Amino acid sequence: MIQKISVLKAPNHGIPYIGYTQYTRFFSEMNPQVPQRRHESNTFTATEQYGDKMLIEIKNETRIFSFAAVGGKAEKNGPLGYAFDYTDESERFSQKTWESAEGSMQKIALSMALGKRNMTEKDIGVLLAGDLMNQCTASCYGLLSFDIPFVGLFGACSTAAEGLALSAIICDQSGSVCAAVTSSHFCSAERQFRFPLEYGGQRTPTSQRTATASGAFITGRTNEGVRIKSVMFGRSVDSKIKDINNMGAAMAPAAADTMLRFFSESGMKPGDFDLIATGDLGAEGYSITKLIMEQNGYDMGEVYDDCGLRLYDRKRQDMHSGASGCGCSASVACTSILPDMLSGKLGRVLFIGTGALMSPTSLQQGEPIASVAHLVYLEG
Amino acid sequence: MKVDEKYEKFASEHAAKSPLGKDCFFAFTVGGFICVLGQAFSDIYTLLGVNEETVKALVPVSLIFLSVLLTGIGVFDKIAKFAGAGTLVPITGFANAVAAPAIDNKAEGYVMGLGAKIFIIAGPVIMYGILASVIYGGIYYIAGLIPI
């Protein structure tokens, strides 16, 4: 016997009636004020309208207590090469295809992060993972062998910060232990977004190299490790940039927008931090972001750096504008930022994952690159 | 959220420019060397007593073979990185553009991978090349009908 399911429709809206009134009330309670105008002198970013309560405070002490990074050949030869937990110069990670190799990197990264604390998959409540490949292939297939509830994420190169932010919220709410994993592989990314690997072509000076790297973070309510104080999710920005070889410029407005919203809501300033690290803006995006921040009255000074500029020695390794990819910010956090925070070299850090949410199909159809930046406020 | 209309213009002006002089120099040198190589093949084949018509076919075949071989052993892209148009414009660039996707897409199978994607870069050149030659042929035919 088939039961008929009827959904009541709200008049003129076409939205299911159940939930409709609930949601409107929910929003009016959450956001009682009309968004205010705060920054009218913005030159490039139209960030006049800020909503309030966009900064999510992590009330229960949640910390990143274990992390691991896996890398390829160029990463091993870079300035942070010594700090990687595992590298494979062949970049194959014992797999036949580049796609499986990327999955294998995530598997190794998560296993190593668990191993450092003598943990097993049973100790993890939620696994959040994402990468650049179609349908998050590396995460789905690479982490298949872990029997942990899985949440797939897509935030392009901002996935590391997105995963950290979401795991902090889950830990804060539920008290369970979360793992956030992300990766990118030069070879699989080249194949998907640009040209075949052996194709002979020249790169423009603004182009960035997708890092062959993976990072895994384990967060939980404990008193060891690096504390996540608060998180702020970015708004997706239509950058107007259509050049796939200038992603730094495409992501810069998103990075600046998130930082401006953070400083505006928290009342803090760049000088309050020991390091403000954006994900993978490269030399191009780094200088533009600095400029936008300056025009909005924030002098970024010495504390501002970009993970894309740290991973490689740009001149010696001929890396043009720097590194990019999900693995870039994740591996720089695991090999440089978090260890420095644990050793006390750094106190307060803003970690801002920046992602160019582009699709090769949309680009060919003439759409500009959309970008997003998620912020995680860390304290040693 | 949208950024100001001026941003795109600003970003393209702000972007670091390619070193044009250096790029042109390498393109000229490597491109010239490939031409010299072609001439050398031609001279060798003539010395070996091959007739002129066959030499005309053998020279491009030799260059294509070299280009595909270098692509296969992973050297071509390293040369092309410096040479740019020097390796792209001669027949070597075209050979590379066919060989590279063939190697790359083998993982997806011989039919839907290699077979379907082998012309992913060279395809437009072949398609519009044929179209252009048909149009040119038409013009040539019509021009021939006009008595001068």
Side-chain angles (χ1 to χ4, degrees):
Chain A
M1 175 103 183
I2 302 162
Q3 278 187 324
K4 274 189 181 174
I5 300 164
S6 60
V7 179
L8 289 166
K9 305 264 182 180
N12 305 328
H13 287 285
I15 301 162
Y17 190 68
I18 309 156
Y20 176 69
T21 45
Q22 258 182 342
Y23 273 104
T24 46
R25 196 172 65 235
F26 175 72
F27 275 118
S28 63
E29 274 169 13
M30 285 294 286
N31 231 345
Q33 295 166 335
V34 177
Q36 298 164 349
R37 276 176 180 270
R38 284 187 192 167
H39 283 267
E40 289 184 346
S41 61
N42 262 339
T43 317
F44 296 121
T45 51
T47 48
E48 295 108 49
Q49 292 190 332
Y50 291 147
D52 273 331
K53 290 171 188 156
M54 295 299 183
L55 183 66
I56 302 163
E57 255 187 81
I58 307 299
K59 292 188 184 90
N60 295 301
E61 194 168 311
T62 301
R63 287 173 183 265
I64 305 168
F65 64 93
S66 187
F67 49 84
V70 173
K73 189 182 175 186
E75 291 68 29
K76 192 185 177 187
N77 294 334
L80 298 174
Y82 68 94
F84 276 86
D85 296 280
Y86 182 86
T87 50
D88 180 357
E89 292 221 4
S90 75
E91 305 197 343
R92 284 275 183 185
F93 296 90
S94 319
Q95 302 293 320
K96 275 186 186 162
T97 66
W98 300 120
E99 286 74 16
S100 320
E102 191 178 331
S104 187
M105 282 166 70
Q106 291 206 10
K107 194 176 170 179
I108 297 168
L110 181 56
S111 307
M112 294 193 96
L114 288 171
K116 280 184 184 179
R117 291 281 173 174
N118 288 325
M119 291 166 79
T120 65
E121 56 187 354
K122 284 175 192 151
D123 301 315
I124 308 289
V126 185
L127 173 59
L128 302 109
D131 58 88
L132 290 172
M133 256 190 295
N134 292 326
Q135 291 83 36
C136 290
T137 316
S139 314
C140 306
Y141 287 90
L143 302 174
L144 208 58
S145 55
F146 292 94
D147 285 334
I148 311 170
F150 172 82
V151 182
L153 303 177
F154 180 76
C157 315
S158 67
T159 311
E162 188 184 5
L164 270 179
L166 287 169
S167 28
I169 293 168
I170 295 170
C171 291
D172 186 32
Q173 287 285 314
S174 68
S176 67
V177 175
C178 294
V181 193
T182 184
S183 71
S184 59
H185 196 300
F186 172 72
C187 301
S188 62
E190 270 314 275
R191 289 193 61 192
Q192 184 177 335
F193 295 107
R194 294 184 185 93
F195 289 113
L197 289 169
E198 302 299 334
Y199 178 70
Q202 259 176 339
R203 287 163 174 272
T204 57
T206 52
S207 70
Q208 288 169 265
R209 183 192 158 98
T210 309
T212 303
S214 173
F217 308 91
I218 298 175
T219 50
R221 281 202 220 160
T222 130
N223 49 13
E224 274 180 83
V226 174
R227 184 169 179 190
I228 302 176
K229 289 270 283 182
S230 56
V231 302
M232 184 180 246
F233 292 107
R235 309 193 280 188
S236 78
V237 175
D238 170 7
S239 67
K240 300 269 192 303
I241 306 282
K242 292 177 183 173
D243 182 3
I244 191 173
N245 288 314
N246 197 1
M247 291 196 298
M251 294 186 285
D257 178 57
T258 305
M259 280 195 268
L260 288 172
R261 283 169 49 224
F262 174 79
F263 289 136
S264 160
E265 198 173 321
S266 67
M268 297 176 97
K269 52 186 192 299
D272 296 335
F273 296 91
D274 297 316
L275 174 71
I276 297 174
T278 44
D280 58 344
L281 296 177
E284 196 63 31
Y286 172 80
S287 56
I288 296 176
T289 306
K290 221 170 170 176
L291 209 74
I292 299 175
M293 293 305 287
E294 244 167 57
Q295 280 171 344
N296 286 284
Y298 291 99
D299 179 19
M300 300 300 281
E302 294 289 298
V303 294
Y304 179 42
D305 201 0
D306 183 68
C307 298
L309 297 172
R310 283 190 172 195
L311 193 59
Y312 303 124
D313 184 335
R314 287 196 299 136
K315 276 207 173 130
R316 179 171 59 83
Q317 295 181 288
D318 189 27
M319 291 302 180
H320 303 276
S321 195
S324 72
C326 306
C328 169
S329 56
S331 63
V332 172
C334 290
T335 55
S336 156
I337 300 171
L338 294 175
D340 280 354
M341 292 185 81
L342 289 178
S343 69
K345 242 193 235 174
L346 297 171
R348 285 173 175 174
V349 171
L350 281 187
F351 178 62
I352 304 143
T354 45
L357 308 169
M358 57 154 190
S359 111
T361 313
S362 306
L363 267 184
Q364 282 175 350
Q365 290 168 351
E367 300 281 345
I369 300 170
S371 56
V372 74
H374 303 300
L375 178 146
V376 181
Y377 171 12
L378 302 168
E379 202 170 73
Chain B
M1 201 193 76
K2 286 191 178 200
V3 297
D4 200 291
E5 294 292 335
K6 284 177 278 181
Y7 183 68
E8 193 190 359
K9 194 168 169 272
F10 161 80
S12 64
E13 280 166 5
H14 185 274
K17 303 284 177 291
S18 293
L20 208 62
K22 192 182 129 200
D23 286 354
C24 285
F25 173 76
F26 280 114
F28 180 79
T29 317
V30 180
F33 174 76
I34 292 169
C35 296
V36 171
L37 200 68
Q39 186 60 47
F41 276 127
S42 167
D43 289 353
I44 292 166
Y45 293 137
T46 314
L47 270 178
L48 291 171
V50 183
N51 69 51
E52 204 190 327
E53 280 303 306
T54 319
V55 169
K56 274 185 190 166
L58 273 179
V59 171
V61 168
S62 308
L63 287 176
I64 288 169
F65 171 75
L66 263 183
S67 174
V68 172
L69 182 74
L70 290 176
T71 304
I73 58 174
V75 177
F76 190 92
D77 58 322
K78 292 189 175 70
I79 303 170
K81 201 172 151 186
F82 293 99
T87 48
L88 182 80
V89 176
I91 204 162
T92 46
F94 196 74
N96 167 256
V98 178
I103 299 166
D104 225 43
N105 294 299
K106 217 178 80 184
E108 282 87 61
Y110 284 98
V111 179
M112 293 315 287
L114 196 155
K117 288 182 180 156
I118 190 164
F119 291 124
I120 200 156
I121 303 168
V125 183
I126 296 171
M127 140 84 186
Y128 289 109
I130 293 170
L131 191 68
S133 56
V134 168
I135 293 168
Y136 177 76
I139 295 168
Y140 188 78
Y141 175 73
I142 294 163
L145 292 178
I146 303 163
I148 303 166

